[in-house]
Every structure is written in structure tokens, then in C-alpha cells.
Amino acid sequence: MMERMERLRRLRRTAALREALAETRLPPQRLVQPHFVIDGGGPDVPIDAMPGIARTGLRRLVEQVGADRDLGLGAVLLFGITPHKDERASAATARDGLVARAVAELRERFGDGLVIMTDVCLCGAMSHGHCGVLEDGHVQNDASLPLLSAMAVAHAEAGASVVAPSDMMDGRVAAIRRALDEAGQQETAILSYSSKFASAFYGPFRDAADSAPKSGDRKTYQLDPRNGREALRESLADEREGADMLMVKPALAYLDVIAEIRRHTALPLAAYNVSGEYSLVKAGAERGWIDESRLVPEILTGMARAGADLIITYHAREALAKGWLA
Ligand SMILES: [Zn+2]
């Protein structure tokens, strides 16, 4: 027998002990529910590759968010799905655009009791589907910044608490901050998609949001999945530009990046548990191969343990409704 065996199992002996000593917790306030918003008052339009998730019309959105609030969800992230596409993303930058109207309705209904975040990117309203202005087959960084800024200002003026640029153009956080301040929107925060990778995990989302590029890919602006140090540089650059919060997207294959950024900044950090991560879980559960009720909390807790303060996840509503996070 050892002189003194380290008996770590002592603290795992009962459920009450384990509960008292759990290091990571996931209250509903840490979760953000994304919404794909479409115009009109019609019924939800289910998304095939994302079981349980739908495109939601403006009227239904208010109902859905109200029901989610009863589950304890206090934050939403809005994506606008528009059929109006051109070379300047006019539908995205318009003051009376879809997302701006959705924000105004939610703000009127829920007041300051709801954290309204909006995705700021041009791809959903661009005829070519790229996240910036396209000229001669190349995405133009600096020419995209005024459009992104106009989109952010439109959302802020409608009442968004947080604007979240996801385009990955250089300098966009500084440009958006300046535009918000000049528009008198000093109180609107910026959650930068600061370390966003060119990932195959976005597949189901691109169908849902109808935002796939018509030609080429996004590798000239999104991060190479092989590069962790560059991901850190991207996030720290956005902090210097004035971002209030940072993000890693996707999350599951990038937990090391979350942990590394956590060590280098005091800013709040979000993890985006993206569509492909969601759909894989759903597919496995449908086949009876995995126990979703245990897998979802394990995945989300892993992101929190890695260092994420906020977790943007399509699982949020169902996980809370079914008590998976209890
Ligand atoms: Zn985009």
C-alpha cells in the first residue's frame, strides 16, 4: 500500500458532492439563440439540414422570442434572409431593411429585457454571395467597409444592443465603431466574429441563409483552419480596433483557439456552435447512435470550460425546454 494515495474519487462519491464542486456551469443567460428572419407573417419554414430550426417570419419571431424568454433565454442573434440581392447589398444596408424592422419590433415588445444581437455581413444580400464588394473576381476590403458600417448603423438605430460583424474584412471593427459613434450610437456594442475560420461546418447554414458564394470560396478572408497563432492575432487586432467582445467560430474543432484567446484578453469571449456541429448531433440522434440529451450539455460545457463566456447555439431552446442543462 502506498504511504499516501491521492484519493481524488473522494469528491466524486455522491451526486450532491459532484454538484457542489462542478467547476463549469451553463445557466441559460450564457446562451444565445440564433434566428433566421424572413419577411412577412407566414408560418415557419423548416430547414431540412437543421431539424428543429426554421426560417421565421417577423410576426412569428416575436412569438418565438417571447416563448424562449419563458425558458430563460435572454439573448438573440438575428440573420436576415432576403430575396433582394444586388452588387451593393442594398437590402442589408437599408434603414428599413428586414433586420432593422425585426430589431425594432423586438425592442418595442421586450424593451431592455432582451439582448438583441445582429449579424452584420453583406453575403446574404449580395448577388455573388461574397461577404464584401466584388471587383474583377476579388473581394475588395476597403470598399466593403462603408457598406458594413451602414448596415451596423441601421441595426443600431433600430435598437440593436450588439452588432456582430462576421465578414472578416480587415479594419471593419474600427470603421464600424467610428460610424456608430458618428451616428450617435455610442452605446451599441460590437461583438466581433474575430477568429472566424473557412470551415466546412457552415454547410447547413449556407442553405438556411441562402448565402453561399456563387463562385470561388471565402479562403481569402476567413482564417485557415491550420492556423492557431493567426487566429490569436485576428482577435487581438479586433480588440485594439475597439471590439467589446470577441468570438471564435466554429467552436468544436477550435477549443484550443478559444482557450488561447481566453489567456490573452480580458474581453468577453463568445463561441459559435455552428450549423454543421448542430446537424451532426441531430443526425446521430435520429439514428439512435448517440444520446442527444447527454451529448449536447457535454459539448456546450466543453466550450464554456475552454473559456467561452457566451455560447451561440441552435441547441439553446430545445436544451432548456427539455431540461438537458439542469
Ligand atoms: Zn458573410
Side-chain angles (χ1 to χ4, degrees):
M1 196 61 187
M2 284 170 61
E3 190 67 15
R4 181 180 170 280
M5 191 189 295
E6 272 203 81
R7 291 195 182 273
L8 291 162
R9 288 183 56 198
R10 276 184 201 124
L11 301 181
R12 297 178 210 143
R13 198 168 51 82
T14 67
L17 265 171
R18 294 193 294 275
E19 200 52 44
L21 297 174
E23 297 175 28
T24 310
R25 297 179 197 275
L26 219 50
Q29 293 85 352
R30 291 181 75 168
L31 304 181
V32 180
Q33 177 76 45
H35 294 272
F36 299 109
V37 185
I38 52 177
D39 225 329
D44 288 354
V45 182
I47 297 163
D48 286 344
M50 301 177 71
I53 303 297
R55 301 181 188 87
T56 309
L58 277 182
R59 187 176 331 136
R60 269 281 304 139
L61 177 69
V62 175
E63 289 171 20
Q64 181 70 69
V65 171
D68 291 351
R69 278 167 52 81
D70 294 340
L71 296 171
L73 276 173
V76 298
L77 174 61
L78 305 183
F79 295 87
I81 314 295
T82 174
H84 306 294
K85 297 174 194 286
D86 59 26
E87 303 282 300
R88 303 284 299 167
S90 322
T93 58
R95 285 233 154 106
D96 61 347
L98 177 58
V99 170
R101 283 181 283 130
V103 168
E105 287 203 25
L106 290 173
R107 186 59 74 210
E108 185 177 332
R109 172 71 182 76
F110 301 108
D112 283 338
L114 181 69
V115 178
I116 304 176
M117 306 183 180
T118 62
D119 182 82
V120 172
C121 194
L122 306 173
C123 49
M126 283 290 202
S127 48
H128 46 69
H130 276 289
C131 300
V133 173
L134 198 66
E135 278 167 27
D136 306 326
H138 297 285
V139 174
Q140 303 296 312
N141 193 87
D142 297 15
S144 305
L145 302 183
L147 301 186
L148 292 161
S149 300
M151 186 176 184
V153 168
H155 295 176
E157 288 181 341
S161 332
V162 177
V163 291
S166 63
D167 51 284
M168 288 299 282
M169 298 302 121
D170 289 325
R172 96 280 207 185
V173 171
I176 289 172
R177 183 71 270 161
R178 198 176 315 119
L180 289 171
D181 291 351
E182 284 171 9
Q185 301 298 325
Q186 291 89 348
E187 299 299 321
T188 308
I190 298 176
L191 163 58
S192 175
Y193 286 65
S194 50
S195 297
K196 180 179 181 181
F197 290 86
S199 170
F201 281 103
Y202 305 146
F205 173 95
R206 288 187 183 165
D207 293 339
D210 186 22
S211 66
K214 301 281 183 285
S215 66
D217 54 39
R218 294 185 166 126
K219 291 179 182 171
T220 68
Y221 41 106
Q222 296 179 351
L223 281 162
D224 188 320
R226 296 171 292 188
N227 292 1
R229 293 196 308 270
E230 189 185 2
L232 178 62
R233 290 183 66 200
E234 278 282 8
S235 276
L236 296 182
D238 284 4
E239 176 170 11
R240 288 192 297 272
E241 286 185 31
D244 299 282
M245 297 183 270
L246 303 174
M247 188 198 297
V248 175
K249 178 183 181 180
L252 208 43
Y254 300 90
L255 295 177
D256 60 317
V257 177
I258 294 173
E260 187 68 2
I261 293 173
R262 175 73 293 152
R263 278 191 284 273
H264 283 84
T265 179
L267 293 189
L269 180 59
Y272 200 137
N273 176 214
V274 301
S275 60
E277 300 171 28
Y278 174 86
S279 298
L280 286 174
V281 170
K282 285 290 173 190
E286 267 178 21
R287 284 162 179 73
W289 290 348
I290 50 110
D291 179 351
E292 192 180 12
S293 70
R294 294 181 58 205
L295 197 61
V296 169
E298 187 173 334
I299 288 171
L300 301 184
T301 301
M303 295 167 190
R305 194 189 60 242
D309 301 289
L310 290 175
I311 298 171
I312 303 163
T313 177
Y314 303 99
H315 292 295
R317 176 183 307 127
E318 184 178 27
L320 291 172
K322 295 184 176 173
W324 292 347
L325 304 179

